[in-house]
Amino acid sequence: MSRTAIIGGGLGGLAAACTLAARGHKVVLFEKNDWLGGKAAVLEEDGYRFDMGPTILTMPRVLERIFSEAGRDLHRELDLRRLDPQWRCFYDDGTVLDLRDDPKTAAEEIGKLSPPDREGFERFMQVASRLSDVSDRFFFWKSVEDLRDTMDLKGSMNLSTLSDVLALRMHRTVAGQIKRDVKDRRVAQMLEHFIQYVGSSPLASPAVLCGIAQMQQGEGVWYPMGGTRAVPLALQRLAEELGVEIRTGTGISRIEVENGRARAVITEDGERVAADRVVSNMDSVRTYRELVGGPAKEAFEKTRKREAACSGVVLYLGLDRAYEHLAHHNFVFSRDPEEEFAAIYDRGEPAPDPTAYIAAPARTEPGVAPEGGEALYVLVHTPYLRDHHDWSKMLPEYRRTILDKLGRAAGMGDIEARIKVERTLTPQDIHERYRVLNGAIYGLASHGKVLGAFKPGNRSRQVEGLYLAGGSAHPGPGMPMALMSGWIAADTADQDAGGVPARSRDVAAE
């Protein structure tokens, strides 16, 4: 029986562990922290419960696939609730717009705000559906690092393949595609924020990522009762039942590479643990820099210049009185998206008037707060860490900026008086807590019209027997993508060990 060592017990690492164990592999999982789940952690204080990291679950079929590896029904393990509206949007001019769960109803709501954009939204969703279909067939469920991994352009070039290539819209950005279809700036701003799932600017990200809109509109936004923390807990239970050896509080200092192949991992205490294969759920760039090193690191860094995605400031606010006008998920949009994106992505500074995302899970699960109260998660995107950023000094002023924004645009002017519990997470905290690249929440930026959608592949091209999972590996960040990355890493490792290849298209169609 082959043995696989997994570095990191985030969503990708847990998905890889469950998949490999279900296929008969011996698995040992190492996690530096005392808990599993990575960013999908929980904060509890004085009767308030906060999901600390991801709060939006889409594409539940990815989790269904992972549980089905062990013959389990996801819906017996998790109580998932589909949300409507998916988002509620607030604007500085007082406009409130709901993105409804049903695409037809969503178009009607948009049409009430901007009549011409009802058809424009429907056109955009047709494009998004096409891009989602191409992604499912060529991009998902297999290790991909560049265009040559997606399709055999020489061997299978025909009219159908050419149509798929053209559908990728490699000459266009997300923002450029949206502006072709909708004209109202408020509607465009809402649609541009689908790209925030990958922490990148719509002005620089490839149009193929518009497919994210279909993945949400077509498959829904879901809330696991118990919070998103319930997802890694369910995966941990499954891993334990499948016999995975889990070692929390155990960091890895090095991957031992001999003759170009991963042979073992070395713990921070100096223990050598031999392995036939290694899956790293740590940030892919930091994996090569800090755990691999040597010629493999140099070869990896020569393949492409990689930049961190954005980071963020999170306020966890326990309120004694709820804001009933909030939905479960809310966006309070900036006054000027171009000003916002230029600050974060071009100048590397916090936006003067940022967009704030608010999760108010008491709408769906009242028990997250004392009766009548509210457990708010407020996230504002910031640039990834620069050398001159000192968030211990920057936070007080930026907290004021965030709360002023909520008061001005979202009807929350008395929020200070309602706060009973307050905790924060800054880019520096994220960097240190999760061992990510420069405090990035979403791994690597998805910038570039052609290469922006590509992340380091799940099967290392530099080290035989090394596989990558997590938000900084293919297919990218966000809960479903991180989970899928773990499944792909496991499936690829299993195939390399002589396992039967999975039928990717059949999986995608489920």
Side-chain angles (χ1 to χ4, degrees):
M1 181 187 297
S2 68
R3 187 187 207 192
T4 301
I6 297 179
I7 303 170
L11 294 175
L14 283 167
C18 291
T19 302
L20 283 166
R23 297 189 187 185
H25 295 267
K26 185 176 182 180
V27 179
V28 55
L29 185 152
F30 299 90
E31 169 55 52
K32 181 180 178 67
N33 294 311
D34 293 330
W35 72 92
L36 298 182
K39 299 186 190 76
V42 67
L43 170 65
E44 296 185 86
E45 185 171 340
D46 294 344
Y48 296 92
R49 190 188 77 220
F50 306 91
D51 283 318
M52 293 192 70
T55 58
I56 296 178
L57 176 64
T58 59
M59 297 177 67
R61 62 190 166 103
V62 179
L63 269 172
E64 291 170 352
R65 180 71 181 92
I66 293 165
F67 277 87
S68 72
E69 291 279 353
R72 308 294 175 84
D73 180 355
L74 168 68
H75 300 280
R76 291 182 178 271
E77 308 295 331
L78 286 173
D79 180 2
L80 300 181
R81 307 290 177 91
R82 189 163 181 157
L83 303 183
D84 185 22
Q86 295 184 343
W87 298 339
R88 179 160 291 160
C89 305
F90 297 88
Y91 299 86
D92 259 17
D93 65 1
T95 299
V96 178
L97 174 62
D98 281 353
L99 178 62
R100 300 298 301 276
D101 178 61
D102 175 65
K104 182 178 179 181
T105 308
E108 291 172 355
E109 290 293 321
I110 289 169
K112 292 175 185 177
L113 177 65
S114 174
D117 284 328
R118 174 175 178 164
E119 291 186 1
F121 173 74
E122 291 172 340
R123 286 195 303 273
F124 171 76
M125 288 308 303
Q126 289 174 357
V127 171
S129 179
R130 179 81 166 94
L131 291 169
S132 176
D133 173 66
V134 171
S135 296
D136 254 348
R137 289 186 289 114
F138 296 109
F139 195 70
F140 291 161
W141 305 109
K142 63 181 179 179
S143 180
V144 168
E145 187 153 337
D146 51 35
L147 192 58
R148 60 182 168 167
D149 290 327
T150 61
M151 57 184 78
D152 181 3
L153 295 177
K154 290 185 178 179
S156 60
M157 181 53 71
N158 51 41
L159 289 177
S160 177
T161 305
L162 179 61
S163 174
D164 290 329
V165 171
L166 294 175
L168 295 175
R169 290 164 169 78
M170 293 186 212
H171 59 292
R172 197 172 295 156
T173 64
V174 168
Q177 181 61 49
I178 290 169
K179 287 176 181 176
R180 289 175 63 91
D181 296 317
V182 301
K183 305 306 177 187
D184 187 279
R185 62 173 182 79
R186 296 162 297 183
V187 179
Q189 194 171 15
M190 178 182 73
L191 298 180
E192 285 176 350
H193 265 70
F194 280 113
I195 198 65
Q196 295 308 295
Y197 283 128
V198 297
S200 302
S201 170
L203 302 173
S205 299
V208 66
L209 294 178
C210 290
I212 295 171
Q214 171 61 24
M215 296 168 201
Q216 174 169 314
Q217 276 279 285
E219 301 184 50
V221 170
W222 300 80
Y223 177 76
M225 296 301 286
T228 49
R229 178 66 186 157
V231 174
L233 291 178
L235 287 168
Q236 180 178 349
R237 289 194 301 271
L238 179 60
E240 290 170 343
E241 291 169 8
L242 293 171
V244 174
E245 179 186 352
I246 296 174
R247 297 177 59 176
T248 54
T250 306
I252 299 299
S253 64
R254 183 165 61 90
I255 297 171
E256 183 182 291
V257 179
E258 180 183 337
N259 296 324
R261 182 176 181 85
R263 298 291 185 184
V265 296
I266 311 300
T267 72
E268 291 178 347
D269 293 332
E271 178 188 1
R272 181 184 185 274
V273 180
D276 299 285
R277 288 162 190 82
V278 175
V279 176
S280 178
N281 188 209
M282 183 177 164
D283 176 87
S284 59
V285 174
R286 292 186 69 178
T287 293
Y288 282 99
R289 285 181 183 172
E290 300 173 24
L291 302 186
V292 176
K297 165 190 167 289
E298 295 174 6
F300 173 78
E301 291 182 342
K302 286 179 181 178
T303 58
R304 182 181 166 193
K305 182 179 178 181
R306 294 178 172 88
E307 183 181 21
C310 72
S311 187
V313 168
V314 186
L315 306 181
Y316 306 99
L317 305 177
L319 311 184
D320 61 359
R321 287 161 289 152
Y323 285 108
E324 300 296 343
H325 65 288
L326 295 178
H328 189 122
H329 298 298
N330 310 267
F331 282 103
V332 186
F333 282 119
S334 64
R335 66 190 172 214
D336 183 342
E338 292 189 1
E339 173 191 63
E340 177 185 20
F341 297 137
I344 296 171
Y345 299 106
D346 297 338
R347 297 198 306 276
E349 300 297 340
D353 184 69
T355 293
Y357 160 71
I358 307 171
R363 295 299 160 279
T364 308
E365 187 174 7
V368 299
E371 186 174 358
E374 190 96 88
L376 296 184
Y377 167 109
V378 182
L379 167 66
V380 166
H381 283 162
T382 67
Y384 62 82
L385 281 175
R386 267 57 169 196
D387 290 340
H388 65 280
H389 288 171
D390 183 350
W391 277 99
S392 65
K393 297 178 180 178
M394 296 163 64
L395 179 62
E397 181 179 353
Y398 210 55
R399 171 190 180 274
R400 183 73 266 155
T401 297
I402 295 168
L403 296 186
D404 286 348
K405 177 68 180 181
L406 301 186
R408 185 175 68 254
M412 301 168 69
D414 64 343
I415 189 169
E416 289 268 27
R418 302 191 186 201
I419 296 174
K420 297 302 176 185
V421 170
E422 180 173 356
R423 294 291 178 265
T424 59
L425 197 68
T426 70
Q428 188 64 48
D429 297 327
I430 293 166
H431 179 78
E432 295 170 357
R433 182 180 174 96
Y434 302 119
R435 297 184 74 177
V436 294
L437 182 65
N438 299 330
I441 298 176
Y442 307 95
L444 301 174
S446 298
H447 295 157
K449 294 179 183 179
V450 177
L451 296 178
F454 294 103
K455 302 293 183 287
N458 310 95
R459 178 193 282 116
S460 171
R461 290 181 176 177
Q462 290 76 33
V463 179
E464 188 179 357
L466 174 62
Y467 305 85
L468 303 175
S472 64
H474 173 74
M479 286 190 78
M481 299 298 105
L483 289 161
M484 189 187 294
S485 77
W487 183 92
I488 296 171
D491 180 63
T492 306
D494 180 53
Q495 288 185 45
D496 291 348
V500 177
R503 294 183 178 179
S504 303
R505 293 192 183 185
D506 290 346
V507 171
E510 287 180 358

